[in-house]
Amino acid sequence: MDFSFDFDNTDDKTDGNKIRCILSDFKLGSMRNVWQDGKNPRRERYLEKVYPGKRIINIELVHSQTIVVAHTKEDAEQIEKSETKADGILTDNLDLVPVVTVADCMPIFVWANSKKGIVFGALHSGWKGTGIAGNAIDILEKRFGVNKADIHFALGPHIRNCCYSVDEERAEYFRTNFSSDCIKMITQSQKKTDSEKLQYALSLEKANLALLEKYGIPKENIKTFNLCTCCSKDEGGNPRFGSFRREKLLEGKEKFSAMAASISITYR
């Protein structure tokens, strides 16, 4: 079963609509999209079933802060034809579905009311990509004429600080560029790895919240979820989400289960 959540958007300019955000779960297998590997039939079947009749926007992730914008189905086709590498997608076309893949990195869903309608998108934000939400805000303001008060964010399930340990260099990077409270020391009893270098716990959520506060996004426009992709379990006690750290680093598996994070808009 997917992890999905809906939001009602009742702004008069868009006549009310439902924002649906979905994250595929661990049982569905890898939804990875890599151009050089060719098509991923599992991913294609899944997205066709969830979004019949809609055009998926596909990109290959590179842990950057680059965002592409698609207005039409032809734009989506060109992005795929050119094998675009980026980590975020924004669109103002309700027939399009932005999709990114994650496996511990944070999926960020964003939507905003503009004078011409609603703009929405999906972002992939790992430690290298933290800051991509700020780029999305800049694009929404400059290209779509959106006011910050009309921008909404949902920070989806990701590896939380209960499982995400980092070294001093990365800890200092986040202290300096985001906030000091997104980093805390790990006690010996809290350690989940034997590495002596991984002394700190990193909260990607707190880092992104600090960023959104800096950009002036109202707190009431931000939704968060207390779910860790590394350690969350389903009702049967099995892993709920795909996780790079749990599967590859801790279990030593060759491959890990990337999940599809998607957002769509449905008018009422």
Side-chain angles (χ1 to χ4, degrees):
M1 179 181 295
D2 291 336
F3 174 77
S4 64
F5 43 99
D6 299 338
F7 298 91
D8 289 325
N9 190 58
T10 56
D11 189 277
D12 290 339
K13 289 176 286 189
T14 53
D15 298 324
N17 44 56
K18 181 165 68 176
I19 296 96
R20 168 155 286 185
C21 306
I22 301 179
L23 183 64
S24 65
D25 68 12
F26 177 67
K27 292 179 181 178
L28 291 171
S30 179
M31 298 292 164
R32 191 179 183 200
N33 181 69
V34 180
W35 298 125
Q36 66 183 30
D37 292 345
K39 299 288 186 179
N40 181 343
R42 179 188 290 113
R43 173 189 168 99
E44 289 188 329
R45 288 193 300 269
Y46 165 74
L47 292 172
E48 286 174 3
K49 182 178 180 180
V50 176
Y51 301 108
K54 292 207 173 189
R55 180 61 165 88
I56 306 301
I57 310 175
N58 294 300
I59 55 174
E60 181 181 334
L61 308 182
V62 287
H63 296 273
S64 69
Q65 296 184 19
T66 302
I67 299 171
V68 297
V69 177
H71 299 289
T72 66
K73 290 185 178 181
E74 289 72 25
D75 290 341
E77 290 169 3
Q78 181 57 35
I79 288 170
E80 188 163 331
K81 183 178 180 181
S82 62
E83 299 186 351
T84 298
K85 296 181 179 181
D87 287 84
I89 307 164
L90 290 173
T91 184
D92 55 359
N93 187 333
L94 273 64
D95 291 326
L96 302 182
V97 178
V99 182
V100 297
T101 51
V102 291
D104 282 342
C105 293
M106 177 187 286
I108 299 179
F109 305 95
V110 57
W111 62 96
N113 296 314
S114 72
K115 293 180 180 179
K116 296 182 179 180
I118 191 165
V119 187
F120 59 104
L123 314 173
H124 163 259
S125 179
W127 81 266
K128 290 182 180 179
T130 303
I132 192 171
N135 289 357
I137 295 168
D138 289 338
I139 292 172
L140 289 169
E141 286 188 301
K142 295 173 183 177
R143 292 186 61 170
F144 293 96
V146 170
N147 295 319
K148 288 177 181 176
D150 295 322
I151 302 176
H152 297 257
F153 282 92
L155 310 183
H158 60 283
I159 188 169
R160 299 181 67 83
N161 60 357
C162 54
C163 295
Y164 194 9
S165 52
V166 299
D167 59 20
E168 171 62 40
E169 182 179 4
R170 192 171 301 182
E172 183 57 31
Y173 171 82
F174 273 84
R175 285 195 205 98
T176 302
N177 292 283
F178 299 99
S179 70
S180 59
D181 69 343
C182 70
I183 295 294
K184 69 176 183 180
M185 286 286 294
I186 299 175
T187 65
Q188 197 63 34
S189 62
Q190 293 172 324
K191 277 198 168 187
K192 296 187 178 181
T193 173
D194 294 331
S195 175
E196 292 298 325
K197 292 183 178 180
L198 305 182
Q199 302 272 347
Y200 303 90
L202 169 59
S203 171
L204 292 174
E205 179 183 298
K206 289 184 177 181
N208 276 280
L209 289 175
L211 177 74
L212 296 180
E213 181 180 5
K214 178 181 177 181
Y215 270 82
I217 301 301
K219 290 183 179 180
E220 60 269 24
N221 288 11
I222 306 169
K223 174 71 174 177
T224 61
F225 299 89
N226 188 28
L227 291 168
C228 176
T229 50
C230 188
C231 65
S232 292
K233 306 288 185 181
D234 62 19
E235 293 179 356
N238 301 306
R240 185 172 184 182
F241 302 106
S243 166
F244 171 81
R245 179 154 295 210
R246 184 190 71 244
E247 296 176 70
K248 196 169 180 70
L249 298 187
L250 299 182
E251 297 177 2
K253 293 182 179 179
E254 182 180 348
K255 297 181 179 180
F256 56 94
S257 303
M259 300 171 290
S262 56
I263 180 171
S264 65
I265 310 295
T266 303
Y267 276 112
R268 293 188 180 281

